[in-house]
Amino acid sequence: MANNRKSIYSALAANLLIALTKFIAGAFTNSSSMISEGIHSTVDTTNQLLLLYGLKRSKKPADESHPFGYGKELYFWSFVVSILIFGLGGALSIYQGILHILEPELMKDPFWNYIVLVLSLIFEGTSLYIAVKEFNKTRNGLKWWDAIIKSKDPASFLVVFEDGAAVAGLIVVMVLMGISHTFQIPELDGLASIIVGLILVFVSFILARESRSLLMGEGIAPETREKIAKLAEKDASVVRTKSILSTYQSPEEVVLMLIIDFEDHLDTEEITEAIKRIRENIKKEFPLVHFVIIQPE
């Protein structure tokens, strides 16, 4: 979680530094794409604040009303962030771009736009580098896409996607703004805004899909279930593991339920002792499993 906070704080600092300058540059130069970039940075700043809030809420200890803790707060706020990227970032940028294409205005001297874009690229690029570096620490040799699919911590890859979309958007805006000003084609500035919006919409769908899956109660991987079943079956009192149910309460906390078929000759006390042994072995082998419920069959 500390690594996640580092990448979120770096992204927050970058977005705060450039959001205001983008709006000022866009207003002075009549650039639709710069206004879209300003919207993008403002949304990203809000998103980082929401992620930090979600991380803080997820650390609340369990209580009577939430016996398994508040870990899923992080998944909820990550889903909210994905909706904000779509609604405030993507949709508004596309709308702004369409308006500028329908009613094109010649751009004034874009000098300050380029200054802001270059500075933004430096800040966003640095933030992306930090986010990628932190995410690489959690991949454990997996390919990028596999690591994202298997990750139970949306905060770890959400910042990578946000910063990646920001860098891609800045490059698109710089290229099309240059062509628009050089050849006096103001519609291209609106097109840049639409492309930025489409990039954000694409990113929002990926993030929403992953956050929703975790929020709905995604369980442990099949290979992990198999390992846990074999571990339980090593106990002499177990005939077989009939079923395993699981859900991630947070990236660092799993709730596990096993339905186990014990030997027929065991009495209640022996089954209780066996359950205690199995529970301790699972927790020792899999530190993320905080709660183990074992139901004899």
Side-chain angles (χ1 to χ4, degrees):
M1 283 290 186
N3 289 340
N4 294 340
R5 288 181 185 273
K6 183 179 178 181
S7 59
I8 292 170
Y9 280 128
S10 67
L12 178 61
N15 287 310
L16 280 172
L17 282 168
I18 60 186
L20 185 59
T21 54
K22 284 178 179 177
F23 278 124
I24 293 171
F28 271 105
T29 59
N30 245 2
S31 173
S32 165
S33 55
M34 279 304 294
I35 296 294
S36 294
E37 278 296 311
I39 293 169
H40 184 171
S41 294
T42 304
V43 172
D44 283 353
T45 302
T46 306
N47 289 345
Q48 268 92 58
L49 289 171
L50 289 176
L51 275 180
L52 289 169
Y53 179 71
L55 281 168
K56 183 181 179 182
R57 290 279 302 173
S58 69
K59 291 298 184 182
K60 281 184 66 177
D63 54 32
E64 193 174 331
S65 61
H66 292 79
F68 293 118
Y70 289 80
K72 287 196 175 181
E73 286 269 7
L74 176 59
Y75 299 150
F76 170 75
W77 289 108
S78 298
F79 187 73
V80 169
V81 164
S82 68
I83 300 302
L84 284 177
I85 292 173
F86 175 81
L88 292 181
L92 276 179
S93 293
I94 292 170
Y95 174 73
Q96 182 77 19
I98 291 171
L99 283 183
H100 207 73
I101 289 174
L102 293 175
E103 297 178 13
E105 294 180 45
L106 283 174
M107 194 189 308
K108 298 173 186 175
D109 183 5
F111 173 76
W112 288 109
N113 281 357
Y114 287 121
I115 295 295
V116 170
L117 286 172
V118 169
L119 289 174
S120 299
L121 203 54
I122 292 169
F123 291 134
E124 295 283 15
T126 303
S127 178
L128 177 61
Y129 173 77
I130 293 170
V132 169
K133 190 178 176 182
E134 298 303 326
F135 183 64
N136 279 337
K137 292 177 182 178
T138 67
R139 283 201 296 141
N140 297 321
L142 290 173
K143 292 180 181 178
W144 262 78
W145 186 248
D146 290 339
I148 289 165
I149 295 297
K150 292 185 178 182
S151 174
K152 309 305 175 188
D153 186 0
S156 66
F157 57 80
L158 202 150
V159 177
V160 173
F161 270 95
E162 274 193 346
D163 288 343
V167 170
L170 286 166
I171 293 169
V172 168
V173 169
M174 287 180 76
V175 171
L176 289 183
M177 185 185 292
I179 297 172
S180 172
H181 180 66
T182 303
F183 297 100
Q184 295 295 293
I185 310 173
E187 289 85 359
L188 288 181
D189 191 45
L191 178 62
S193 183
I194 291 174
I195 293 173
V196 168
L198 291 174
I199 291 171
L200 292 176
V201 168
F202 172 71
V203 166
S204 74
F205 275 123
I206 295 174
L207 297 178
R209 177 182 176 274
E210 294 305 308
S211 298
R212 175 187 173 277
S213 179
L214 291 164
L215 190 59
M216 295 296 287
E218 188 174 317
I220 57 177
E223 55 266 29
T224 308
R225 284 202 304 271
E226 191 175 330
K227 288 177 184 176
I228 289 173
K230 287 179 179 178
L231 182 62
E233 287 165 3
K234 282 182 181 178
D235 195 285
S237 63
V238 176
V239 176
R240 67 188 178 101
T241 306
K242 298 191 74 173
S243 181
I244 295 178
L245 304 174
S246 64
T247 182
Y248 273 85
Q249 287 299 112
S250 77
E252 299 171 345
E253 193 172 290
V254 174
V255 176
L256 189 69
M257 179 177 179
L258 284 77
I259 299 175
I260 293 177
D261 188 5
F262 287 97
E263 295 284 355
D264 291 336
H265 62 80
L266 298 175
D267 59 28
T268 303
E269 188 177 341
E270 288 171 323
I271 290 175
T272 302
E273 285 298 317
I275 288 173
K276 185 179 177 182
R277 283 196 308 271
I278 295 166
R279 182 182 289 118
E280 287 174 354
N281 288 338
I282 290 172
K283 285 188 172 184
K284 185 179 178 181
E285 188 73 21
F286 300 92
L288 291 185
V289 179
H290 284 212
F291 301 95
V292 183
I293 303 163
I294 297 176
Q295 174 67 47
E297 179 70 14

